[in-house]
Amino acid sequence: VYYEQEEMLEEVLAKKDAVPKPLEHMSAVGFLNSRNRARGPHTPLPDFGKISSVCERTRPEERELHFLKATLLIIEAALPVGSVDTSSEGAWRPDVALYWRSMVGKAQCAAGLMGSVVLLEHAIKKQWLTAEAEHMLACMPLHWKAVSDASLSSVALRISLLDGGIKYKRIDKG
């Protein structure tokens, strides 16, 4: 009986940290459990499955919004040390990152989520972006325009550019 309970507990814990199947293709997913992530070793991973799941009767737009929230939180959780300034005065210090995560979770529309996307974009140091991603992001609407004209597809595009353009393998402990 003890071994069965232990196995059940391991299953529950594995599901909690699990990435929903449609998000497994993301570049960031391969780095979620890597060492030297900007979030630090003591910040638990969000429950991506819970964030992205909604009831069957939910409108497709709301379903997509939850899906995009999970993708954005996966990217942030996988950011390598040095890619954002986590110092006590830094733009991505722990209290700011915690508040940002809550903003993502509470976003109720494309504009709210786009606000979180551009905050993360702004916080990531340019050296951690590929030249292609930096170029593509420079071609996107300015942050204020991106928020005011946000749609779920424009949020998805920017998130996709970030995920594909971040150098997750690069680490800077200095």
Side-chain angles (χ1 to χ4, degrees):
V1 174
Y2 174 75
Y3 293 111
E4 288 176 17
Q5 289 177 338
E6 197 171 292
E7 285 178 16
M8 287 173 58
L9 178 62
E10 285 178 14
E11 274 183 40
V12 168
L13 292 175
K15 285 181 183 174
K16 181 189 177 298
D17 290 341
V19 172
K21 196 140 191 82
L23 302 179
E24 289 176 352
H25 71 282
M26 294 178 63
S27 298
V29 168
F31 298 92
L32 285 174
N33 295 309
S34 297
R35 298 174 67 132
N36 300 314
R37 299 296 104 187
R39 72 177 187 276
H42 304 296
T43 303
L45 289 174
D47 187 341
F48 303 118
K50 184 177 180 183
I51 293 163
S52 65
S53 67
V54 292
C55 69
E56 288 181 22
R57 292 174 280 146
T58 305
R59 292 186 348 252
E61 298 83 18
E62 191 171 335
R63 226 177 281 138
E64 184 65 21
L65 182 68
H66 283 266
F67 183 80
L68 290 171
K69 287 179 186 185
T71 60
L72 189 56
L73 290 169
I74 288 170
I75 291 169
E76 191 266 343
L79 288 175
V81 167
S83 62
V84 289
D85 185 354
T86 58
S87 69
S88 61
E89 299 297 318
W92 211 254
R93 60 187 183 272
D95 61 315
V96 172
L98 182 65
Y99 184 74
W100 178 87
R101 287 183 208 108
S102 74
M103 279 178 47
V104 171
K106 292 175 184 173
Q108 295 182 358
C109 62
L113 194 56
M114 182 64 88
S116 297
V117 172
V118 297
L119 283 173
L120 182 61
E121 270 180 31
H122 184 71
I124 296 172
K125 296 175 184 173
K126 299 299 178 213
Q127 307 92 291
W128 266 261
L129 295 174
T130 64
E132 296 83 7
E134 194 173 350
H135 175 75
M136 290 298 293
L137 287 169
C139 294
M140 306 291 340
L142 296 175
H143 291 166
W144 68 270
K145 186 70 170 162
V147 172
S148 67
D149 292 347
S151 65
L152 291 175
S153 58
S154 66
V155 172
L157 177 61
R158 282 184 105 108
I159 289 174
S160 179
L161 282 172
L162 272 181
D163 182 51
I166 294 172
K167 298 174 185 175
Y168 293 106
K169 291 180 183 179
R170 181 180 174 168
I171 305 293
D172 183 5
K173 296 181 188 180

